[in-house]
Amino acid sequence: MLSLAPLHEDFGARVTGIDLTKPLSSQQVEALHDAIDTYSVLHFPDQAMTDEAQLALTRSLGEPEPEHVHFGKTGQVAYFGTIGNVVDAETKRDGDHPHSVSQRGNNMWHSDSSFRLVPSYVSILHAYEVPGEGGETEFVSQRAAYARLDPAEQAEIDGLHVLHDYVFSRTKVAPVDPNHAASLPPIEQRLVRRNPANGLKNYYVGSHARSIIGWSGVDSRRLIDRLNEAAARPEDVYSHRFTEGDTLFWDNRCVLHRGAGYDANRWRRYMRQTRVAGHGPTLDEPSVVA
Ligand code: OGA
Ligand code: MN
């Protein structure tokens, strides 16, 4: 069965003893959900992944989430996003290509699709080509960060709601296509969420978090910036240096991640991403206020 070795003192595990490219038994699926609930970030080395196997894996964990950029621009559902600069075996995009510029939005701490009514449960990322230098993906735990707050700070934030807005965050790095922007109105989310399996609480912010419902802009930014910074002190970070064949899962309900950046003029980077949708809007989750 699964064998787990910790990656960081707060969260994360390297997982061996499972071939993610083969059909999974219900016991294996349950063990993966348990590991996600407990460890938040899972690294599976040496997986002989294909797109077909990745989509089957994604479906075995839940409902695949339509990739929002393609859906927003065209109205067509596709389940894969490509992370990196590779077009095909001969061609890559340089660092100043608009696609590379907009991908650098991923270099801000974020939770995937926190700006959607039903945000992502888990992202699945498989590495096919990795830069010789740079190109790490970094992770921090908003569960560990919530636990570090003192009880008065926890009580202050437990009942708050936050507006998450893709256009707010991503126009900092690149213009957002008008159709795409129109498909993603700002969404109200709970600031504090509770894992339904183990009861552990976490806050839920990141770069898409724009403002606190009912608060001024100034007060909103002070709190959100403070929470983002408190989650991502250098000692809190697990930085994943990819090897080809790595598959990563992360729990978007409670971790933030970001790209560390790389020289796209020099290196090829090719990773494929799918996501498992969450169970519903965060406002439908039970309140965490005692
Ligand atoms: C992602 C992501 C950043 C990176 O895969 O969702 O934000 O560059 N990746 O690794
Ligand atoms: Mn991301």
Side-chain angles (χ1 to χ4, degrees), residues 83 106 110-112 123 170 250 252 257 273 275:
I83 301 290
N106 286 335
H110 65 283
S111 171
D112 288 333
S123 293
R170 291 306 170 95
W250 62 87
N252 283 304
H257 64 283
Q273 198 203 66
R275 296 173 187 172

Side-chain angles (χ1 to χ4, degrees), residues 130-148:
V130 304
E133 215 178 287
E136 297 84 359
T137 306
E138 302 180 330
F139 297 90
V140 294
S141 170
Q142 298 172 103
R143 178 184 290 167
Y146 180 85
R148 288 194 297 267

Side-chain angles (χ1 to χ4, degrees), residues 51 54 58 65 67 79-83 106 110 112 123-126 250 252 257 271-275:
D51 276 1
Q54 187 169 343
T58 307
E65 179 184 288
E67 195 280 313
Y79 293 119
F80 282 88
T82 295
I83 301 290
N106 286 335
H110 65 283
D112 288 333
S123 293
I124 302 174
L125 187 63
H126 185 80
W250 62 87
N252 283 304
H257 64 283
M271 309 207 283
R272 295 283 276 168
Q273 198 203 66
T274 50
R275 296 173 187 172

